[in-house]
Amino acid sequence: METTLLARLDARDRALYARWALDQASARAVRWALIALTHVGGATSTILLCLLPLLRPGLAGAAGWRPLASLVFSHLVVQVIKRRVGRVRPSRALA
């Protein structure tokens, strides 16, 4: 059952990638917007956003550390899953 679910998710992921994959003919504004959106969810942005509360006086207590602790925990979980469920990147599989 787990394999079937992963196979279905993989197929949907690849179909979505094929539909949204950008080639050289894509509009420059669309490409810029999708690249910017990708970076907003990247590690640098999320780490900086989690560190911001610690820079404000009075928030360095538990409320300031919770976002950072959540981020560290989520990154650890993601890394474990990435290493256990290996698959070819959609762009390489379609090439």
Side-chain angles (χ1 to χ4, degrees), residues 5-27:
L5 175 63
L6 289 177
R8 285 195 335 233
L9 289 173
D10 183 58
R12 285 187 179 190
D13 188 39
R14 290 182 196 287
L16 183 64
Y17 177 80
R19 190 172 359 148
W20 283 89
L22 300 174
D23 57 11
Q24 296 301 324
S26 297

Side-chain angles (χ1 to χ4, degrees), residues 9-92:
L9 289 173
D10 183 58
R12 285 187 179 190
D13 188 39
R14 290 182 196 287
L16 183 64
Y17 177 80
R19 190 172 359 148
W20 283 89
L22 300 174
D23 57 11
Q24 296 301 324
S26 297
R28 177 177 263 176
V30 173
R31 291 181 66 181
W32 182 87
L34 290 175
I35 289 169
L37 183 62
T38 296
H39 288 294
V40 167
T44 304
S45 297
T46 55
I47 291 168
L48 288 175
L49 288 172
C50 285
L51 290 174
L52 280 177
L54 298 177
L55 299 176
R56 293 214 35 205
L59 288 181
W65 287 102
R66 284 183 186 145
L68 192 59
S70 298
L71 181 69
V72 168
F73 178 74
S74 70
H75 278 291
L76 290 173
V77 170
V78 165
Q79 290 305 314
V80 167
I81 292 172
K82 278 185 175 183
R83 281 158 177 65
R84 299 250 354 222
V85 183
R87 70 178 184 122
V88 177
R89 304 271 308 170
S91 59
R92 292 192 180 166

